[in-house]
Amino acid sequence: MPYEKIPYKIYLEESEMPKYWYNVRADMKTKPAPLLNPGTGKPMTAEELSHVFCDELVAQELNNTDRLIPIPQEILDFYKMYRPSPLVRAYCLEKKLQTPAKIYYKFEGNNTSGSHKLNSAIAQAYYAKKQGLKGVTTETGAGQWGTALSMACSYFDLDCKVYMVKVSYEQKPFRREVMRTYGASVTPSPSTETAVGRKILEEFPGTNGSLGCAISEAVEAAVTREGYRYVLGSVLAQVLLHQSVIGMETKAALDKYGIKPDIIIGCAGGGSNLGGLISPFMGEKLRGEADYRFIAVEPASCPSLTRGKYVYDFCDTGKVCPLAKMYTLGSGFMPAPNHAGGLRYHGMSSILSELYDEGLMEATSVKQTDVFAAAEEFARVEGILPAPESSHAIRVAIDEALKCKETGEEKTIVFGLTGTGYFDMYAYEQFHNGTMTDYIPTDEEIAASLAKTPKLS
Ligand SMILES: *Cc1c(COP(=O)(O)O)cnc(C)c1O
């Protein structure tokens, strides 16, 4: 089919929507390293994990063998309300850049939570409900995950307790009210509700809170309450599995028009949207059926893949979670104020870490002001106001398209546009006023934080 005949937006028919999640671990020769019990140093058993996570999600977390996992009908029904998400040909951006490259973006911001996070939130809420639980607890930083989970919990009539990093709770009151609209209870963290919160408040009165602290509070709230479990919005293998719906749809839409991408790009915080987007394509690469370039884009202020180390580390600052082998900056790493809240995690999904370590995926980091310049350029021609996180992928997609302009190559570039930025206008304001900074950590700062990763015998 000639390219000119390709619609502006490629939507799948309902009958063409994926019925399965794709588990890339099944095709990996070297499986991602297992989660370890921080006490014993041994792989976490299903029994141990089941105190914190829902049973079915534990099974998914440990499943390295099943390639396709059926999406339950109840989740498919929910997906139908906001999926398929459009795969959009960025004709206007191509024209503006005067590039021969063909640029597509998969837009996940078409739901009230404003990001891809709803894809996993609804799955996790479903399994909690199916297990007969009363509710779930979680943490949220910038608020996207908490919003997605609130929506999912209200759909399945589950109680939802969100510990929101105090500084975000105060600075992003509208995010908080969206969560409360969906019935969640939102507590600024650290709080006096948990032992760990009280301890932190005693030690650091007046602290603004951190993601690590909020995780510790949410885990404590789950394990000390009958009928509650803890859920997490990124990093874990189960989350990448649920997010594979993004890649499955993208692949189906491209196949429908006989389009083969050369480069697939995504922003990487904990790795869930990127992992989900690239999974089915990575599967083809792993099976030797096709080749693609995959590029993970991270902020220069929090560069876990490009400047971190591939070791076992704590997943949270409170050190209550299992150890994960991943590219990490150290669990005590404090990224400089950066407006892409969803990309401030110190580590990276174990699956993506292994693929990157084997050279199957590339990674690059970009400066905050360059990211916002790309966001604005994109918004002005394509209309969508992108989230700062998503704009990391836009930056690199534009840079790759500009390289094609130099060489005259007609490459096909696909990138993940993970969400919208309506709650990030303070960041846009700083960019417009010229007060946005680009802090890049020094080698010494990273080394000092990495020195505190656990020593395993
Ligand atoms: C949370 C978030 C991200 C980063 O999380 P990943 O798990 O790395 O995908 C990216 N974009 C948006 C809009 C987010 O909300």
Side-chain angles (χ1 to χ4, degrees):
M1 181 164 310
Y3 263 114
E4 294 65 37
K5 294 279 153 53
I6 291 169
Y8 212 102
K9 285 186 185 161
I10 306 179
Y11 279 106
L12 296 173
E13 303 290 331
E14 214 172 283
S15 61
E16 299 168 315
M17 281 172 62
K19 306 282 184 296
Y20 297 88
W21 290 307
Y22 167 67
N23 181 8
V24 71
R25 287 169 287 171
D27 282 309
M28 290 170 69
K29 281 191 197 74
T30 307
K31 307 298 178 192
L35 295 170
L36 298 186
N37 180 319
T40 64
K42 298 234 164 62
M44 292 288 288
T45 62
E47 205 278 321
E48 288 170 327
L49 286 169
S50 70
H51 298 296
V52 182
F53 300 115
C54 305
D55 296 344
E56 189 65 32
L57 294 167
V58 170
Q60 291 180 354
E61 194 62 31
L62 299 175
N63 187 339
N64 281 342
T65 47
D66 292 328
R67 186 173 280 140
L68 292 175
I69 296 180
I71 306 174
Q73 188 59 46
E74 290 88 339
I75 299 175
L76 286 174
D77 289 343
F78 188 87
Y79 278 170
K80 274 183 210 156
M81 289 196 278
Y82 70 101
R83 309 201 67 84
S85 71
L87 180 69
V88 186
R89 173 82 181 267
Y91 282 110
C92 298
L93 182 63
E94 289 170 20
K95 198 166 149 209
K96 167 94 190 309
L97 299 174
Q98 295 186 305
T99 173
K102 299 171 172 66
I103 308 174
Y104 293 86
Y105 57 89
K106 179 73 169 163
F107 181 47
E108 291 291 320
N110 259 340
N111 68 77
T112 299
S113 84
S115 83
H116 64 287
K117 291 203 171 71
L118 192 55
N119 300 330
S120 182
I122 195 64
Q124 298 196 45
Y126 167 75
Y127 291 118
K129 186 71 183 179
K130 203 175 143 213
Q131 194 174 323
L133 298 176
K134 290 185 204 137
V136 292
T137 69
T138 199
E139 76 291 330
T140 198
Q144 289 99 311
W145 168 245
T147 309
L149 191 67
S150 309
M151 292 173 70
C153 284
S154 70
Y155 183 74
F156 284 121
D157 195 21
L158 278 168
D159 187 35
C160 180
K161 269 198 89 49
V162 181
Y163 289 88
M164 186 171 190
V165 177
K166 191 187 267 168
V167 61
S168 306
Y169 182 91
E170 282 157 7
Q171 281 180 359
K172 294 193 163 186
F174 293 156
R175 271 264 177 233
R176 189 180 75 208
E177 291 315 313
V178 177
M179 287 184 252
R180 291 177 61 194
T181 300
Y182 287 94
S185 76
V186 188
T187 306
S189 168
S191 75
T192 52
E193 280 180 13
T194 63
V196 64
R198 287 190 293 271
K199 185 160 161 254
I200 291 167
L201 282 173
E202 222 164 83
E203 232 172 292
F204 308 100
T207 174
N208 278 329
S210 71
L211 207 52
C213 166
I215 295 177
S216 306
E217 287 207 270
V219 172
E220 182 184 319
V223 299
T224 54
R225 260 192 192 76
E226 174 81 27
Y228 280 75
R229 291 293 184 281
Y230 167 70
V231 294
L232 184 63
S234 182
V235 186
L236 296 174
Q238 57 184 274
V239 183
L240 266 72
L241 176 73
H242 306 148
Q243 295 297 354
S244 71
V245 70
I246 304 172
M248 296 288 271
E249 278 184 13
T250 303
K251 187 149 182 354
L254 291 171
D255 286 350
K256 187 169 170 178
Y257 288 94
I259 305 161
K260 186 182 170 296
D262 298 293
I263 311 176
I264 305 177
I265 301 166
C267 63
S272 74
N273 87 83
L274 176 67
L277 172 65
I278 69 174
S279 273
F281 302 95
M282 182 61 85
E284 289 188 306
K285 182 161 170 157
L286 289 165
R287 297 190 301 270
E289 296 164 7
D291 197 15
Y292 305 97
R293 270 183 77 198
F294 302 107
I295 310 177
V297 189
E298 50 186 19
S301 59
C302 193
S304 48
L305 285 170
T306 49
R307 292 177 68 199
K309 238 172 43 184
Y310 190 31
V311 292
Y312 268 102
D313 195 10
F314 299 102
C315 292
D316 61 316
T317 332
K319 304 180 180 179
V320 294
C321 297
L323 304 177
K325 188 177 178 194
M326 56 186 174
Y327 274 86
T328 179
L329 296 164
S331 62
F333 183 78
M334 282 290 162
N338 172 298
H339 295 291
L343 305 183
R344 286 170 55 100
Y345 189 61
H346 66 275
M348 184 58 61
S349 135
S350 291
I351 295 176
L352 289 188
S353 291
E354 179 57 32
L355 293 169
Y356 176 64
D357 200 58
E358 290 179 36
L360 292 158
M361 181 182 89
E362 302 165 34
T364 186
S365 70
V366 288
K367 286 202 320 236
Q368 183 162 244
T369 46
D370 293 342
V371 166
F372 276 83
E376 198 171 83
E377 187 167 16
F378 180 83
R380 288 182 184 183
V381 290
E382 290 289 327
I384 294 171
L385 185 103
E389 291 89 350
S390 324
S391 305
H392 287 67
I394 299 177
R395 174 73 271 159
V396 173
I398 289 178
D399 291 345
E400 288 295 329
L402 290 174
K403 279 186 210 160
C404 290
K405 185 173 170 179
E406 300 270 305
T407 61
E409 287 173 289
E410 292 184 25
K411 286 190 182 154
T412 297
I413 299 168
V414 174
F415 73 89
L417 187 68
T418 50
T420 46
Y422 303 126
F423 291 102
D424 300 284
M425 296 324 292
Y426 175 64
Y428 276 90
E429 180 187 24
Q430 288 201 331
F431 176 68
H432 296 143
N433 291 347
T435 52
M436 181 171 276
T437 54
D438 281 310
Y439 186 77
I440 297 170
T442 63
D443 289 343
E444 289 71 28
E445 282 172 278
I446 292 176
S449 167
L450 278 173
K452 293 188 193 127
T453 51
K455 307 282 172 287
L456 295 171
S457 49

